[in-house]
């Protein structure tokens, strides 16, 4: 915050100086241009022609004054440059939704500058700058396939959403896995002024499958070549991004660069920052042809309408066919083919300053792209090592990436002031439900959470799911050991049973997990392990009957008791958790009550167990312990839940009220 305030003070000081210096200069000149109350011309020639009082002394004064005027003008130019730089950096700090003219850092357009090398620094031009309208939609295309890429792309999207002030339209070329994951994510995320369209990547395979590719991205790494055919015919321009990109500025600044394209420039690219295309990395290294160092395709600006008119499809295909006769395969997927086309047609490229794609692979010249890490625009983790790459600022880059990786996406659900959003049925229903709540209710936050749609990101790890023929599939929702699938023995698929996994805990942050029940019992006797929460909340797991479990060799049944909250394995069609209980308190207790009233049997597994590891207190348990109103609201919700149980289950739910009163 202090850095932001300092930046604003400098910005204000520069602005005031720019306004005040010409005014002071004018007053000085105006007052100095009177002698004896009469106006005197500042022109020496005019003075000689009309003023009899012209002397050598006054000539020197006027010459001195002209020198001072030139100095003031030079100071003004310097201040304007400083002001321009301050304006260029301002979007990283201001969070408002204001119409903005983005200052565009200089790129290159002619062939001489294309060969000049990487642009160093982060300078801006004074003068007419391109404009991105306040509510102009920015189009972004991303190729995304599989589980890992689906996880990476979410971090990229978070970084874009964090800085953006414009509506966004994501065009995702995705396989069936990525589409399922990301469609669910965006539907539950409900970010205003964001539209997402999917394009079936599997249908595009035939367009590029004839190209052998050694790159780890596989066939999907070639699909950026066919975007002119894939994306809508009326889409004129698009920013294309790799999934391993992190934005450190508003993407509208990059979108504005389109206005600087001239002539036949249709591709906006940053020069490659490694020596790959120079062919000197090892003996007999033979890369694809490229112009100088070549270009990196992790960030691309595509003028689609012009590319279509130039017959881009025919252009890249003919180039690829010709080069493959000698190269046999691509090494860097689409990037090799883009560079081969550019080698033959250098006029196609508008070279972007390299801070629009700082490439963090080993042995790159990425550090020449910025004077300070605060100057960065886009970070590209284009090394297979990803976060383990070598760079003197790698800790900063890694922390920036991890910040967005762990950032709460719900905080990005903010409206763009003054920019209308497309109607969303889920969002409208949520707003309707929320409007029916009483905001003066002291428990309003609890009641509001019941209707909140939580963003859902599916399938973090790759898993080939094959349904079991005997319908005994188990989804592990918590960490537990299942050395024997009691599922078949207890006929879980056809009966109402909740299999209890006995819970233990340790106070040690490092623990050698017991490999058997005998080893666990030994650790229990030595005081390394304890029955779960025995010293804090005994009632929560007491009905498990740990004394009986020590010697049990077969599953045994236990009865429900007040405040019972074991960890259980149940069928998929079991009752869901009651959504009114969020944060800390009563979520598992209420669920176990619901299972009991629906006549589920509670069966303790004799050879399964789980161990709770110590961790810092959650935010919600801290509120429960310190906030009296939190505890009052939780008690109110418990009473409302029990009343609902009575209405739904009648006499069968009476025992829960009785047990609560007796506890």
């Amino acid at each position: 915050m202090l850095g932001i305030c300092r930046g604003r003070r400098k910005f204000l000081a520069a602005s005031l100086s720019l306004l005040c210096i010409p005014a002071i200069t004018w007053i000085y000149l105006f007052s100095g241009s009177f002698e004896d109350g009469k106006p005197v011309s500042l022109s020496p020639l005019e003075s000689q022609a009309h003023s009899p009082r012209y002397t050598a002394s006054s000539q020197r004064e006027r010459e001195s004054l002209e020198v001072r005027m030139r100095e003031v003008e030079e100071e003004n130019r310097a201040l304007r440059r400083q002001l321009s730089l301050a304006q260029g950096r301002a979007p990283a700090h201001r969070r408002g939704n204001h119409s903005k003219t983005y200052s565009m850092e200089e790129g290159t357009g002619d062939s001489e500058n294309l060969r000049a090398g990487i642009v160093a620094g982060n300078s801006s031009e004074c003068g007419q700058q391109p404009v991105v309208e306040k509510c102009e939609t920015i189009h972004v295309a991303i190729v995304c396939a599989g589980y890992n890429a689906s996880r990476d792309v979410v971090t990229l999207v978070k970084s874009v959403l964090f800085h953006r002030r414009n509506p966004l339209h994501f065009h995702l070329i995705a396989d069936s896995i990525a589409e399922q994951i990301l469609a669910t994510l965006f539907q539950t995320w409900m970010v205003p002024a964001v539209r997402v369209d999917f394009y079936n990547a599997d249908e595009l395979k035939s367009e590029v499958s004839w190209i052998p590719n050694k790159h780890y991205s596989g066939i999907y790494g070639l699909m950026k070549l066919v975007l002119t055919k894939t994306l809508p015919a009326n889409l004129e321009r698009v920013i294309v991004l790799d999934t391993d990109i992190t934005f450190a500025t508003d993407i509208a600044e990059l979108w504005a660069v389109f206005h600087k394209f001239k002539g036949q420039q249709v591709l906006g690219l940053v020069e490659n920052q490694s020596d790959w295309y120079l062919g000197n990395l090892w003996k007999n290294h033979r890369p694809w042809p490229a112009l100088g160092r070549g270009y990196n395709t992790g960030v691309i600006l595509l003028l689609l309408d012009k590319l279509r008119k130039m017959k881009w499809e025919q252009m890249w295909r003919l180039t690829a066919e010709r080069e493959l006769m000698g190269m046999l395969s691509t090494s860097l997927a689409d990037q090799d083919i883009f560079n081969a086309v550019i080698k033959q047609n250098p006029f196609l490229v508008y070279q972007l300053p390299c801070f629009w794609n700082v490439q963090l692979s080993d042995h790159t010249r990425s550090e020449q792209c910025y004077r300070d890490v605060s100057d960065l625009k886009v970070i590209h983790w284009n090394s297979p090592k990803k976060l383990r790459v070598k760079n003197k600022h790698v800790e900063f880059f890694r922390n920036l990436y991890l910040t967005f990786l762990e950032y709460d996406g719900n905080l990005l659900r903010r409206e763009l002031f003054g920019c209308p959003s497309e109607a969303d049925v889920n969002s409208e229903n949520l707003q309707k439900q929320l409007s029916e709540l009483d905001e003066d209710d002291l428990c309003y936050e609890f009641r509001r959470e019941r209707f909140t749609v939580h963003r859902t990101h599916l399938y973090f790890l790759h898993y080939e799911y094959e349904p079991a023929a005997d319908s005994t599939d188990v989804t592990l929702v918590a960490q537990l050991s299942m050395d024997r699938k009691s599922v078949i023995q207890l006929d879980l698929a056809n009966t109402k049973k909740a299999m209890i996994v006995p819970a233990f805990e340790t106070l040690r942050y490092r623990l050698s997990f017991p490999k058997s029940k005998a080893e666990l019992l030994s650790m229990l006797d030595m005081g390394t392990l304890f029955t779960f929460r025995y010293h804090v909340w005994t009632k929560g797991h007491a009905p498990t009957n740990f004394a009986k479990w020590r010697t049990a060799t077969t599953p045994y049944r236990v009865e429900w008791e007040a405040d019972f909250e074991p960890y259980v394995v149940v069928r998929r069609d079991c009752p869901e958790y009651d959504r009114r209980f969020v944060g800390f308190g009563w979520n598992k207790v209420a669920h176990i009550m619901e299972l009991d009233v629906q006549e589920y049997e509670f069966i303790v597994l004799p050879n399964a167990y789980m161990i709770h590891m110590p961790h810092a207190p959650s935010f919600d348990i801290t509120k429960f312990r310190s906030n009296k109103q939190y505890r009052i609201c939780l008690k109110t919700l418990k009473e409302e839940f029990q009343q609902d149980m009575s209405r739904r289950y009648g006499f069968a739910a009476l025992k829960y009220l009785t047990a609560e009163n007796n506890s």
Side-chain angles (χ1 to χ4, degrees), residues 316-333:
W316 75 258
R317 282 177 181 275
L318 288 174
T319 302
E321 288 171 0
R322 182 181 65 249
E323 297 300 333
L324 283 170
M325 293 177 66
M327 300 301 299
L328 303 181
S329 68
T330 60
S331 296
L332 300 181

Side-chain angles (χ1 to χ4, degrees), residues 355-415:
F355 46 73
W356 282 118
N357 183 356
V358 177
Q359 300 148 38
L360 296 184
S361 55
D362 290 341
H363 311 299
T364 70
R365 307 186 336 157
S366 59
E367 293 172 13
Q368 298 182 27
C369 292
Y370 54 92
R371 296 189 184 96
D372 187 80
V373 289
S374 61
D375 295 330
L376 293 170
K377 304 287 188 182
V378 173
I379 299 166
H380 186 187
W381 301 90
N382 63 323
S383 167
K385 295 181 180 179
K386 300 305 178 187
L387 299 185
R388 302 189 306 278
V389 72
K390 295 178 181 178
N391 183 286
K392 69 179 182 181
H393 296 121
V394 71
E395 284 302 316
F396 172 84
F397 298 134
R398 187 183 292 118
N399 289 337
L400 181 66
Y401 174 84
L402 294 175
T403 295
F404 287 116
L405 176 68
E406 299 170 3
Y407 191 80
D408 183 357
N410 295 307
L411 300 178
L412 298 169
R413 289 170 164 172
R414 59 177 183 271
E415 294 283 350

